[in-house]
DNA sequence: AGGACACCCTGTTGGC
DNA sequence: TGCCAACAGGGTGTCC
């Protein structure tokens, strides 16, 4: 589930359940994945925010140390919050107003409690590019960086030129911009198209509540048979062999940078000759 | 600097 | 039907 639109949807859904509440206990059995969660005990949640695919629970200062903290949550591939305990519950978050369960079948999700804004040891968060839906995401800068970049899809996935783009939305954005996933050194025209494609795709997906959402908490529900609002609008992702919505040619699937990659061989040709 | 790769985990799917 | 390999929405560390 967790690319920017799904994380943002999660944030919106659980904020009413957590904001203003005091965390009584965070229990789990994997301290290397969920670090320093004991620091959250007794602190009030002052608000929730999101940076790329990271969810931040802002914690008020405790009487003992007078220092604000963040409970950073990364959903990994399959993480999500639910109201009920299940076979894949990894973390139980108890507040003075109820309990929230973090489910994560694949255990790629992570949590850590840190002093506010201290992200040492989290290189992706430290090097995170601008939010695609904010004014900090500027076309001129994006075009400048893209001119010297390597293969465009891995570049997008690095979170450096822009934050929150994952495998699904990278493929969808590249299709809209009519760019081959392995294209490098984008021309200003190409990079401009991609800039707007990323913004549009992310905006539409957030409005739709992301892909594959289910029970009202923004959960990963792919095998629960409840398709998300944006999933039905995918042009290429998960559509190998089916016709391109633009030209009708079958969508191809390859592997690029260890990730499944979907594209239209006609609409998204690889430009081999150097632009003049 | 940046690319390629292994690794962290478990569940589902598709081919034989 | 049953088994097993391949694959899955992400990030990190290491090696070159």
């Amino acid at each position: 589930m967790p690319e920017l639109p799904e994380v943002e949807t999660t944030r919106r859904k659980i904020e009413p359940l957590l904001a203003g509440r005091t965390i009584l206990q965070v229990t789990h059995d994997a301290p290397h994945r969920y670090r320093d969660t004991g620091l959250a005990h007794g602190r009030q949640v002052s608000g929730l925010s999101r940076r790329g695919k990271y969810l931040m629970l802002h914690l008020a200062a405790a009487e003992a140390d007078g220092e604000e903290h963040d409970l950073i949550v990364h959903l990994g591939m399959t993480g999500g919050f639910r109201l009920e305990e299940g076979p894949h519950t990894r973390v139980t978050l108890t507040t003075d107003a109820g309990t929230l369960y973090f489910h994560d079948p694949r255990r790629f999700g992570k949590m850590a409690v840190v002093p506010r804004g201290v992200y040492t040891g989290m290189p992706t968060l430290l090097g995170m590019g601008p939010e695609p839906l904010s004014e900090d995401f500027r076309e001129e800068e994006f075009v400048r960086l893209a001119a010297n970049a390597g293969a465009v899809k891995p570049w997008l996935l690095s979170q450096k030129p822009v934050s929150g783009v994952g495998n699904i939305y990278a493929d969808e954005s590249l299709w809209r911009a009519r760019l081959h996933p392995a294209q490098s050194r984008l021309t200003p025209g190409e990079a401009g198209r991609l800039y707007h494609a990323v913004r549009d795709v992310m905006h539409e997906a957030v409005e739709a509540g992301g892909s594959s959402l289910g029970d009202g908490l923004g959960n990963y529900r792919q095998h629960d048979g409840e398709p998300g609002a944006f999933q039905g609008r995918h042009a290429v992702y998960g559509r190998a062999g089916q016709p391109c919505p633009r030209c009708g040619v079958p969508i191809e699937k390859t592997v690029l940078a260890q990730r499944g990659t979907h594209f239209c061989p006609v609409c998204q040709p690889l430009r081999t000759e150097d632009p003049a």
Side-chain angles (χ1 to χ4, degrees):
Chain A
M1 157 232 288
E3 299 185 37
L4 184 151
E6 293 76 26
V7 179
E8 176 60 20
T9 300
T10 298
R11 187 192 69 76
R12 293 178 183 181
K13 299 290 183 178
I14 68 174
E15 178 155 43
L17 304 175
L18 291 174
R21 308 305 184 194
T22 297
I23 293 178
L24 300 181
Q25 203 163 29
V26 185
T27 57
H28 55 82
D29 60 2
H32 60 293
R33 289 193 191 91
Y34 315 114
R35 285 162 31 209
D36 299 319
T37 52
L39 291 175
H41 295 171
R43 294 181 193 267
Q44 188 181 38
V45 179
S46 54
L48 272 67
S49 66
R50 179 194 52 74
R51 188 76 178 87
K53 304 172 196 172
Y54 291 81
L55 194 58
M56 312 284 193
L57 277 62
H58 300 301
L59 308 178
E63 289 176 17
D65 60 10
E67 196 174 3
E68 294 182 332
H69 281 64
D70 288 328
L71 169 50
I72 302 172
V73 181
H74 196 290
L75 303 179
M77 298 275 255
T78 58
F81 288 95
R82 297 200 183 174
L83 291 172
E84 292 170 2
E85 197 166 10
H88 304 301
T89 296
R90 307 305 185 194
V91 181
T92 301
L93 186 62
T94 307
T95 75
D96 57 345
T99 302
L100 210 47
Y101 301 93
F102 180 69
H103 290 218
D104 187 14
R106 243 180 120 178
R107 300 182 194 260
F108 280 1
K110 287 184 169 55
M111 295 187 193
V113 177
V114 301
R116 174 73 53 88
V118 178
Y119 303 147
T120 27
M122 303 173 170
T124 302
L125 195 46
L126 279 170
M128 186 82 66
E131 287 291 321
L133 300 180
S134 78
E135 293 181 356
D136 296 335
F137 186 37
R138 303 185 197 287
E139 181 169 358
E140 185 179 313
E141 174 71 355
F142 185 76
V143 167
R144 188 180 69 77
L145 294 172
N148 296 314
V152 63
K153 181 175 173 182
W155 179 67
L156 280 179
L157 293 180
S158 76
Q159 308 300 303
K160 286 176 183 164
V162 59
S163 63
V165 179
N167 207 35
I168 294 176
Y169 298 110
D171 282 2
E172 293 299 314
S173 298
L174 290 168
W175 176 81
R176 289 209 192 187
R178 306 193 306 281
L179 291 173
H180 192 286
Q183 188 66 61
S184 60
R185 296 182 168 273
L186 304 189
T187 67
E190 291 169 341
R193 294 206 304 272
L194 182 56
Y195 171 85
H196 290 284
V198 168
R199 288 194 72 126
D200 291 350
V201 166
M202 287 305 197
H203 177 74
E204 290 171 29
V206 167
E207 290 294 303
S211 301
S212 296
L213 302 183
D215 65 2
L217 279 177
N219 297 320
Y220 172 47
R221 288 271 307 247
Q222 185 169 8
H223 40 271
D224 292 359
E226 196 77 40
F230 196 76
Q231 186 158 342
R233 295 204 232 159
H234 293 172
V236 289
Y237 190 86
R239 295 193 65 250
Q242 298 177 56
C244 168
R246 199 159 42 209
C247 76
V249 162
I251 297 300
E252 286 186 8
K253 182 182 180 188
T254 61
V255 176
L256 181 62
Q258 280 73 43
R259 311 300 300 276
T261 297
H262 314 71
F263 68 104
C264 171
V266 170
C267 293
Q268 301 170 257
L270 184 61
R271 166 176 54 72
T272 49
E273 73 279 16
D274 248 40

